[in-house]
Amino acid sequence: MPQPRSPVPDFLFGTAWKEDRTPALTELALRMGFRAIDTANQRRHYFEEGVGQGLAAAYRAGLVTRADLFLQTKFTYQPGQDHRLPYDPAASLSVQVAQSMASSLDHLATGYVDSYLLHGPCSNQDWTDADIEVWEAMRQERDAGRTRLLGVSNVSLRHLQEMAAGRAELPAFVQNRCYARLGWDRAVRLFCQERKIIYQGFSLLTANQEVLRHPLIARLTSARLTTASLAASANATPAQVVFSFARTLGILPLTGTSDGEHMKQDLASRALTLPPDAVNAIESLAG
Ligand SMILES: NC(=O)c1ccc[n+]([C@@H]2O[C@H](COP(=O)([O-])OP(=O)(O)OC[C@H]3O[C@@H](n4cnc5c(N)ncnc54)[C@H](OP(=O)(O)O)[C@@H]3O)[C@@H](O)[C@H]2O)c1
C-alpha cells in the first residue's frame, strides 16, 4: 500500500460547509498546494463524497497521487448527524464505526485514510463507556490498516485525563476549536505537548475575530508601522499572522477558506516568522 511522503502535514484544508462547491474547492486546494484534507462522514456539515470527487479530478489532472496526500476523516455519533446516516443506527457502536469507515473509504475511493478522528465524545462531561467502545473499534480499524493514525476532536482536558486514567491508548491528534480567550486552548495544548500528541486547531480565524481586528495585529501587518523587531512580518495579512502565530505555538492549523487567493496566502504564512516578542504579545492578548 503506498504511504504518504510526509507522515504529518503542516497545514490542513478543511472541507466543512462547502456543499456543492466541495469537489471544485478540494481540487482547487490541491492545485494551490495543499496536501492534507480534513473531512467527516457527517453529511450535515460535510460532503465527503464531494471531497472524493475533487480528489478524483486532481488525480485525473495529474496534480497529485494518493500517496502525496494526507486524508483525514471522522466518525460522528448519531446526535451529531441528520437523517443522512453513514451507518445503521440500530447496530452496535462498534459496527457503526466499521460501517462509517467503509463508507468513508468508498466516498474517498481509497483503501486507507491517514487519520481517523472521533468527531466528539458522547458527553460534554466525561469519557464514557460509549467512547471506550468507539475508541476500541477505531483502534481495530487502525490495526486492520484502514487508517494510519487516530485522533479525537472537541475534547476537554477532562476527557483526555479520563482517557489517560483509563489506560486507553492516547490519540495521535487532538482537533479542537481554538479560542484566543481561552489562551488558545492552553490547558489542552499543554496536555498534548507533554504527551507528544499533535494539536490541530480549527476556526482559528472565525473564533477569533477580535484578535484579527486588534491593533497589535494591525501593527504587525503594517509595513509603515513595523518596527525593526517586527520587520519579518511586514506586508503579512491578519490571517497570515494568526496562522504563523498558531504554528509557532505548535498548533497544526486548519483553514476553511473557499477562496483561491486566501488559499495561497494561508500556505504562504508558513514562510512568515514572527519574532518572540510578537508571539508572546499575541498569546497574552486574551486568556
Ligand atoms: N472537528 C470539528 O468539530 C470541526 C468544527 C469546525 C471546523 N472543523 C474543520 O476546520 C475547518 C476550518 O474551520 P473554519 O472554517 O471554522 O476555519 P477558519 O479558517 O477559521 O474560517 C474560515 C473563514 O476564514 C476566512 N479566511 C480563511 N483564510 C483567509 C485569509 N487568508 N484571509 C481572509 N480570510 C480568510 C474564510 O473566508 P474566505 O472563504 O473568503 O477565504 C472563511 O470565512 C473546517 O472546514 C473543518 O474541516 C472541524
Side-chain angles (χ1 to χ4, degrees):
M1 187 174 294
Q3 290 298 306
R5 277 183 206 148
S6 152
V8 175
D10 58 7
F11 218 139
L12 287 150
F13 176 71
T15 61
W17 309 301
K18 295 183 167 53
E19 289 299 322
D20 290 352
R21 299 178 70 201
T22 304
L25 289 171
T26 300
E27 186 187 354
L28 182 64
L30 297 173
R31 203 171 281 282
M32 291 302 173
F34 283 93
R35 290 295 176 264
I37 307 285
D38 177 79
T39 185
N41 207 344
Q42 180 205 33
R43 190 61 191 86
R44 182 176 171 189
H45 295 305
Y46 296 79
F47 179 23
E48 190 181 51
E49 205 174 349
V51 173
Q53 292 164 10
L55 297 177
Y59 299 152
R60 276 196 306 276
L63 286 177
V64 288
T65 67
R66 170 66 185 93
D68 297 325
L69 301 179
F70 180 95
L71 300 181
Q72 174 168 278
T73 190
K74 313 184 189 83
F75 170 79
T76 312
Y77 281 113
Q78 193 183 352
Q81 304 268 9
D82 61 17
H83 60 284
R84 295 166 289 181
L85 292 169
Y87 44 71
D88 173 4
S92 68
L93 288 169
S94 308
V95 170
Q96 288 180 23
V97 169
Q99 290 178 347
S100 191
M101 171 63 102
S103 158
S104 286
L105 297 181
D106 188 42
H107 288 158
L108 301 170
T110 183
Y112 70 100
V113 290
D114 297 278
S115 168
Y116 200 49
L117 307 187
L118 172 57
H119 207 154
C122 192
S123 139
N124 287 336
Q125 302 299 318
D126 293 301
W127 186 252
T128 62
D129 287 347
D131 300 318
I132 292 171
E133 179 180 345
V134 164
W135 190 240
E136 179 53 31
M138 290 173 63
R139 276 167 33 87
Q140 285 177 21
E141 292 299 315
R142 193 266 320 275
D143 293 348
R146 289 186 280 274
T147 181
R148 291 195 306 114
L149 298 163
L150 294 175
V152 291
S153 183
N154 298 299
V155 285
S156 63
L157 179 62
R158 179 162 155 172
H159 286 126
L160 291 168
Q161 285 171 333
E162 289 181 3
M163 267 186 109
R167 301 198 180 283
E169 176 180 328
L170 289 178
F173 297 110
V174 162
Q175 183 188 94
N176 269 5
R177 182 168 275 118
C178 203
Y179 288 104
R181 64 182 160 79
L182 300 178
W184 305 87
D185 210 8
R186 189 178 286 119
V188 171
R189 283 193 294 109
L190 290 180
F191 180 97
C192 291
Q193 236 166 44
E194 283 162 9
R195 290 162 182 82
K196 301 203 180 336
I197 296 168
I198 294 171
Y199 180 97
Q200 301 181 5
F202 65 81
S203 300
L204 282 159
L205 305 182
T206 44
N208 300 306
Q209 291 297 313
E210 76 287 3
V211 172
L212 293 168
R213 287 192 298 265
H214 197 280
L216 169 67
I217 303 294
R219 268 205 309 283
L220 284 162
T221 57
S222 158
R224 191 168 53 83
L225 293 176
T226 297
T227 65
S229 70
L230 304 180
S233 59
N235 302 322
T237 69
Q240 287 179 315
V241 170
V242 168
F243 286 130
S244 173
F245 160 76
R247 193 168 286 107
T248 311
L249 287 194
I251 295 171
L252 166 55
L254 288 96
T255 175
T257 184
S258 297
D259 178 292
E261 271 312 302
H262 289 165
M263 289 178 190
K264 272 196 228 163
Q265 290 172 4
D266 292 354
L267 285 172
S269 72
R270 293 177 298 185
L272 181 66
T273 306
L274 296 172
D277 55 343
V279 174
N280 293 338
I282 300 171
E283 194 178 3
S284 51
L285 272 183

